[in-house]
Amino acid sequence: YLDARNGKTKVRVGADGEFLDQKTVITSGCLVDARFAQRIGGFREDYFIDQLDHEFCLRARSHGGKVVISHKPVMEHSVGEAGGVWLPMLGFLPNHSPLRKYYVARNSLVTIITYWRREPDWCLRRLVRLTTGLLLMATLERQRLAKVVAFFDGVADALRGRMGPR
């Protein structure tokens, strides 16, 4: 997909091959074999929002599924709301509400705890990204305090096993 805010694509366009293997992809613009999805339990409803796409991909891989992304962008999609902070080399950081920060933290941590043995490299990258996101959020974003509190509420609920809508 093409991120209209920064003019960048998720993967290099026109690279060799039509598809590129991935560990996970976002659900926006995603095609899923419905029978396979039902066989492995579908998307986790207790995640409510956020990270359910990544968890589904990791679970699909653990059941022999394949996750790929097209080298041809067929849609425009920007992650987060407009108004995120711009950083050199990173571009615009996703701007999410405090409630969304809660779900990102909670569901990311639950996914990491669930899959760290099977997908340690993905889990380590996700943990680094989560920690980096917390530091950037706490120093650069609007509504810093509300977002940091929501983030740590999400961490606490992940450790308690409290899922579903907040």
Side-chain angles (χ1 to χ4, degrees):
Y1 57 89
L2 170 70
D3 187 332
R5 284 195 212 124
N6 63 19
K8 294 183 179 180
T9 56
K10 171 66 177 167
V11 296
R12 205 175 63 181
V13 176
D16 292 339
E18 192 175 349
F19 300 102
L20 178 66
D21 286 332
Q22 298 281 276
K23 295 252 184 202
T24 66
V25 295
I26 62 174
T27 51
S28 299
C30 194
L31 300 175
V32 177
D33 180 325
R35 286 176 292 189
F36 178 75
Q38 288 175 340
R39 193 167 66 243
I40 67 167
F43 288 92
R44 285 186 60 164
E45 292 182 21
D46 63 342
Y47 270 44
F48 190 61
I49 62 168
D50 234 297
Q51 302 303 307
L52 69 153
D53 39 14
H54 298 295
E55 189 282 331
F56 179 83
C57 289
L58 295 174
R59 188 160 25 97
R61 287 170 46 83
S62 74
H63 284 85
K66 191 169 184 169
V67 178
V68 297
I69 191 167
S70 171
H71 279 292
K72 179 181 177 187
V74 293
M75 64 176 269
E76 284 188 14
H77 180 73
S78 296
V79 176
E81 303 161 14
V85 175
W86 185 87
L87 293 176
M89 296 174 42
L90 293 177
F92 284 98
L93 302 178
N95 179 32
H96 296 300
S97 69
L99 182 62
R100 188 84 186 263
K101 297 291 188 178
Y102 165 85
Y103 288 116
V104 167
R106 185 193 71 183
N107 296 350
S108 291
L109 192 54
V110 168
T111 303
I112 290 166
I113 290 167
T114 304
Y115 292 95
W116 71 270
R117 282 194 174 115
R118 278 179 259 156
E119 299 280 1
D121 55 330
W122 184 91
C123 292
L124 181 59
R125 281 195 314 273
R126 185 70 201 137
L127 189 59
V128 167
R129 186 173 174 163
L130 195 62
T131 305
T132 303
L134 172 62
L135 295 172
L136 294 172
M137 172 181 59
T139 57
L140 299 175
E141 293 187 21
R142 295 185 309 267
Q143 296 182 284
R144 290 178 193 127
L145 181 59
K147 289 179 179 183
V148 168
V149 167
F151 183 96
F152 282 108
D153 284 348
V155 168
D157 281 353
L159 296 175
R160 284 190 279 255
R162 185 177 296 155
M163 299 299 288
R166 185 173 188 204

